[in-house]
Amino acid sequence: GRTKSEFSQRLPTTTNKTKYIMSGGKGKGKGGRGAGKSTTSSAKAGLQFPVGRIGRYLKQGKYATRMGAGAPVYLAAVLEYLCAEILELAGNAARDNKKSRIVPRHLTLAIKNDEELNKLLGGVTIASGGVLPNIHAVLLPKKSSTKST
């Protein structure tokens, strides 16, 4: 169980309540429940990807009859991580080509050079992405032996 001091820390005190009784004519007027904007579920989870929108899409997609509260948060976190990973590698590819902007070619190079991303996105075609530069060893010109004996 919890001790009495832990409960008393979480409960609002009477001195704080009297501060925010009037909403001051701004916003929706939430009574005495604190002042300020509403916090998005993305901000609560510490994510950039939209948790609420992903949750809405999960509901509208009829993937299941019911959905847990943590499902859109988890999915948003996974998608954000994948995007960050791909953009990191594509940015490196762009820098290697002395470019400041990521183009589809850089995405292709990033994905194809990474083993795990290549496995995940193996069947994906990126428009105007091209292919990895690769010439088979048989097709290369023979090394001319200049009297090595």
Side-chain angles (χ1 to χ4, degrees):
R2 293 194 175 160
T3 60
K4 189 179 177 187
S5 60
E6 284 181 44
F7 277 118
S8 62
Q9 288 172 350
R10 294 179 64 217
L11 293 172
T13 57
T14 52
T15 53
N16 287 349
K17 263 190 177 177
T18 54
K19 269 191 209 172
Y20 305 116
I21 287 175
M22 295 296 286
S23 67
K26 288 179 187 164
K28 298 185 190 94
K30 289 182 182 174
R33 293 196 294 275
K37 285 185 181 177
S38 57
T39 315
T40 62
S41 43
S42 297
K44 284 178 189 171
L47 297 171
Q48 300 300 316
F49 267 52
V51 172
R53 185 181 299 180
I54 289 171
R56 188 175 76 237
Y57 290 157
L58 282 174
K59 283 177 195 162
Q60 287 174 353
K62 301 271 195 271
Y63 300 106
T65 51
R66 304 170 72 189
M67 186 184 72
V73 179
Y74 200 106
L75 183 56
V78 169
L79 290 173
E80 185 175 314
Y81 167 74
L82 280 173
C83 278
E85 191 73 20
I86 291 174
L87 285 172
E88 167 84 26
L89 295 169
N92 294 344
R95 199 174 352 101
D96 293 343
N97 293 330
K98 298 183 179 72
K99 298 279 191 290
S100 61
R101 193 173 292 168
I102 295 173
V103 293
R105 174 72 179 152
H106 302 142
L107 290 172
T108 300
L109 290 172
I111 290 166
K112 298 291 182 200
N113 284 320
D114 187 79
E115 190 183 332
E116 290 176 337
L117 282 176
N118 191 30
K119 190 176 178 185
L120 177 69
L121 303 171
V124 175
T125 305
I126 296 174
S128 61
V131 295
L132 278 185
N134 182 29
I135 302 171
H136 202 280
V138 177
L139 299 171
L140 292 169
K142 304 251 187 321
K143 295 271 169 63
S144 57
S145 56
T146 55
K147 294 181 183 177
S148 59
T149 55

